[in-house]
Amino acid sequence: MRVFVTGATGFVGSAIVPELIGAGHEVVGLARSDQAAAALATAGAEVHRGALEDPESLRRGAQSADGVIHCAFIHDFSQLQSSGRTDLRAVETLGAALEGSGRPLVVTSGTGLLAPGRPATEDDTPDPASHASHRAPSEAATRALAESGVRSAVLRLPPSVHGAGDHGFVPVLVGIARTKGVSAYIGDGSNRWPAVHRFDAARLFRLALEAAPAGAVLHAAAEEGVPTRDIAAVIGRHLDVPVTAVAPEDAGEHFGWLGAFFAADVPASSALTRERLGWEPVQPGLIADLEQGHYFEAARPEAA
């Protein structure tokens, strides 16, 4: 299958590319820079120049492909609603290019969209009050494409997608702990984050491309919920700093923009996904990955 991948040089996308090639697929990756183009060529993918904000480049990429995996997203936490609108336009463009063809379109979303406090399932719909509500319109548009002759599927990633090279939430927590001299959790730290290793997530993207039914919603949650105090404890031990609680009302001051996300209790189940596609994660869990030490080898970004 000739597969067009957006976000192909990102943390997850760069794991999806070799996963697809290893399974015999031909990959065409979206590249907006010379650096991205070089990385794709090195990985064995064909380069398609364009950008998420350039609908025509997305349309051409999708039209020439047998299937599409959409991973690109503008992770600007100061303008998430704007990023969500850009993502929606991209989904609509990709879907229009595939309309009536029966070809697959796998669109990335997040489990953080869902109602907190209990393990969310694939059957749950987005909570408009969630911190990830900017993803909800793209989810709805993706599922609606199933009625337009597109084998569309939503693949929700958990807050922590971990592994070497991670530049998401956990490295920011490490950076904050370095700067503040303490590794903190919020309240009693019992709130939970689901997690998945990037290689396990990449395999699920491939399985979704190959076999997910139209309108499917999938959860890439290898671990249903890791208590945030456990995350803070490992960070504290590796940095040799105290581990302490921060009151919920002080989370913003301590963690910056990450405070609202780190306070969330958003466990998620992947039982239906495993049953439907036979997905079984095999990579280390989040705590085991942290214990390997690669998160602590160099300075990481701090919260704004």
Side-chain angles (χ1 to χ4, degrees), residues 93-110:
T93 300
L94 295 168
L98 299 176
E99 188 173 354
S101 68
R103 287 176 285 174
L105 168 62
V106 183
V107 171
T108 309
S109 188

Side-chain angles (χ1 to χ4, degrees), residues 1-293:
M1 190 183 299
R2 179 179 170 88
V3 187
F4 178 47
V5 181
T6 73
T9 58
F11 180 58
V12 177
S14 61
I16 292 172
V17 170
E19 173 71 26
L20 292 172
I21 292 173
H25 298 293
E26 177 186 352
V27 176
V28 181
L30 182 69
R32 68 180 302 158
S33 69
D34 291 342
Q35 182 179 5
L40 285 170
T42 299
E46 181 182 328
V47 176
H48 178 82
R49 297 304 292 254
L52 196 60
E53 305 92 332
D54 178 4
E56 177 58 24
S57 70
L58 299 180
R59 184 190 64 79
R60 287 187 285 104
Q63 283 185 330
S64 66
D66 301 313
V68 178
I69 293 178
H70 174 48
C71 285
F73 191 82
I74 301 171
H75 292 283
D76 182 348
F77 290 94
S78 67
Q79 300 185 60
L80 282 179
Q81 294 304 318
S82 175
S83 296
R85 289 190 292 272
T86 299
D87 188 62
L88 176 59
R89 287 193 296 271
V91 170
E92 292 172 340
T93 300
L94 295 168
L98 299 176
E99 188 173 354
S101 68
R103 287 176 285 174
L105 168 62
V106 183
V107 171
T108 309
S109 188
T111 62
L113 283 166
L114 310 173
R118 61 169 176 80
T121 76
E122 295 87 339
D123 291 334
D124 284 319
T125 54
D127 178 0
S130 78
H131 294 293
S133 62
H134 54 280
R135 292 272 200 179
S138 291
E139 273 210 11
T142 301
R143 299 187 72 178
L145 287 168
E147 304 299 321
S148 301
V150 180
R151 183 162 62 80
S152 59
V154 171
L155 197 156
R156 294 170 177 158
L157 293 173
S160 176
V161 181
H162 56 88
D166 182 4
H167 51 266
F169 291 156
V170 172
V172 175
L173 290 171
V174 174
I176 293 170
R178 275 200 174 97
T179 301
K180 302 280 188 178
V182 297
S183 180
Y185 54 86
I186 299 169
D188 64 3
S190 64
N191 60 300
R192 298 153 291 177
W193 273 10
V196 68
H197 194 283
R198 65 192 288 252
F199 293 154
D200 284 326
R203 189 167 67 260
L204 182 55
F205 272 100
R206 176 179 62 80
L207 293 173
L209 177 85
E210 294 172 344
V217 177
L218 308 168
H219 280 187
E223 296 176 281
E224 187 172 281
V226 180
T228 55
R229 63 171 173 257
D230 293 354
I231 300 171
V234 178
I235 293 173
R237 185 165 63 253
H238 277 266
L239 295 181
D240 194 24
V241 298
V243 179
T244 187
V246 168
E249 59 269 24
D250 298 327
E253 179 181 353
H254 185 89
F255 292 101
W257 60 264
L258 186 56
F261 294 93
F262 200 45
D265 183 36
V266 286
S269 168
S270 60
L272 294 176
T273 296
R274 297 178 193 226
E275 178 183 341
R276 290 167 180 166
L277 294 181
W279 178 64
E280 286 299 332
V282 297
Q283 299 294 328
L286 175 57
I287 297 301
D289 196 30
L290 278 167
E291 293 285 19
Q292 292 181 6

